[in-house]
Amino acid sequence: LTGDSDPQKGTVVRPDKLGVLRQDQFAFDAYRVIDTVIMGNKRLWAALQEREALYEKAADMTDAEGMRLGELEGIVGEEDGYEAESNAAILLQGLDIPNALHERKMAELQGGQKVRVLLAQALYGQPQALLLDEPTNHLDMDARASLVDAINDFEGAVVLVSHDTHLVKMVADQLWLVDKGTVKPFDGDVDDYRRYVLEAARKESDGGGARGVNNGVRALGRKPGLGQGATAENLGHGLFSGTLFIRPALAVQGDAVCAVVVELIALGLYR
């Protein structure tokens, strides 16, 4: 769905700009914080890098390279590249990354700070949709609150894959249930889902089955349409943890991909 690998079958149709929260906190350790954010706009970042390389050989630039430089300047203008660092700084400030850290290398930041920078990267360049996979991993309470605000303020579509039920309550408009090899909309909020899971576990226990409950919530949304009474103070770990709800890693991976596919169908982004 992110374009990092080819689909096994079918066709994935993505918006022109899809913001993705990257999971590897160490992938950008060699880069400045401000540059890491700008990399969220791949078209702009590529143009900036190529333009810089051409300027370095200005004295020996060919006519063809001069024409290419003009094209690159056009791309930079279209992508608001002349304000790139100031726009990135605004995002970082909104996620509580102070100005003093913007010129530092990513390797110098703590884990929670890195996640905030990567969230700013996903938001940078005004993407039409966001794909967030377990975004609260390694976040402290303040960072979780910043994440909720960022999701609710985002004007595009958000595909959120999460087991953090408090996050789901605060940002989701729709819930999708991954259960027993199927993905389907769930009619209810997270509290209804909790009762559903417990009832399924009770029935399975009464039936003498030894299998754990194959559960999963996938949320799609961008404003607090469910559980509006939730507050930033009660953000925490998801309710559904423990051996009862453990699934094999491959099953989790497959379910997550399947869930997001169904959500993109609902958004009209996948067919």
Side-chain angles (χ1 to χ4, degrees):
L1 294 173
T2 63
D4 293 335
S5 59
D6 296 328
Q8 294 176 328
K9 61 181 179 179
T11 302
V12 179
V13 179
R14 304 177 185 86
D16 293 335
K17 292 184 178 180
L18 174 64
V20 179
L21 178 61
R22 299 296 172 182
Q23 300 294 312
D24 186 353
Q25 295 185 18
F26 306 102
F28 302 93
D29 277 358
Y31 296 94
R32 295 188 306 160
V33 168
I34 200 80
D35 288 337
T36 300
V37 176
I38 297 172
M39 288 179 190
N41 186 334
K42 294 182 179 180
R43 183 171 183 251
L44 172 60
W45 180 253
L48 290 173
Q49 295 302 104
E50 187 178 352
R51 185 186 69 169
E52 182 178 350
L54 288 176
Y55 275 133
E56 288 178 354
K57 57 178 298 185
D60 302 319
M61 190 180 300
T62 65
D63 290 342
E65 289 172 332
M67 294 180 62
R68 177 57 181 165
L69 183 60
E71 295 173 357
L72 293 171
E73 294 290 0
I75 294 174
V76 171
E78 291 171 5
E79 299 295 337
D80 205 15
Y82 298 111
E83 304 294 331
E85 292 201 1
S86 60
N87 290 337
I90 291 172
L91 281 174
L92 288 169
Q93 292 162 2
L95 292 169
D96 295 325
I97 301 296
N99 290 340
L101 296 180
H102 294 184
E103 297 294 327
R104 299 276 189 89
K105 293 292 181 67
M106 284 287 286
E108 301 178 51
L109 271 58
Q110 300 175 357
Q113 293 173 324
K114 287 184 176 182
V115 174
R116 296 188 200 191
V117 174
L118 294 178
L119 177 59
Q121 181 190 78
L123 292 166
Y124 184 79
Q126 300 180 327
Q128 297 157 305
L130 288 178
L131 179 56
L132 307 178
D133 184 5
E134 300 291 357
T136 54
N137 286 352
H138 312 296
L139 292 187
D140 58 24
M141 297 294 286
D142 290 339
R144 287 167 181 252
S146 297
L147 172 66
V148 169
D149 291 340
I151 293 175
N152 288 332
D153 290 342
F154 183 68
E155 296 183 356
V158 178
V159 179
L160 170 67
V161 181
S162 181
H163 285 84
D164 187 330
T165 55
H166 293 284
L167 174 67
V168 172
K169 278 185 176 183
M170 297 182 74
V171 303
D173 293 322
Q174 301 176 35
L175 300 180
W176 293 76
L177 177 62
V178 180
D179 189 27
K180 298 178 181 177
T182 64
V183 183
K184 55 188 177 183
F186 183 76
D187 186 15
D189 59 17
V190 174
D191 292 329
D192 294 326
Y193 171 72
R194 181 177 185 275
R195 287 188 287 269
Y196 167 85
V197 170
L198 293 176
E199 178 63 16
R202 184 190 65 78
K203 290 180 178 179
E204 190 162 315
S205 177
D206 291 344
R211 295 178 294 109
V213 177
N214 184 16
N215 73 91
V217 169
R218 299 297 181 264
L220 165 66
R222 62 179 180 84
K223 58 181 182 294
L226 298 170
Q228 294 186 10
T231 63
E233 285 73 25
N234 66 19
L235 273 171
H237 295 294
L239 293 175
F240 308 136
S241 59
T243 56
L244 180 62
F245 307 116
I246 288 177
R247 291 180 290 174
L250 289 178
V252 173
Q253 181 182 12
D255 286 350
V257 172
C258 187
V260 175
V261 169
V262 171
E263 291 161 358
L264 288 182
I265 291 174
L267 286 171
L269 302 178
Y270 182 99
R271 61 171 180 255

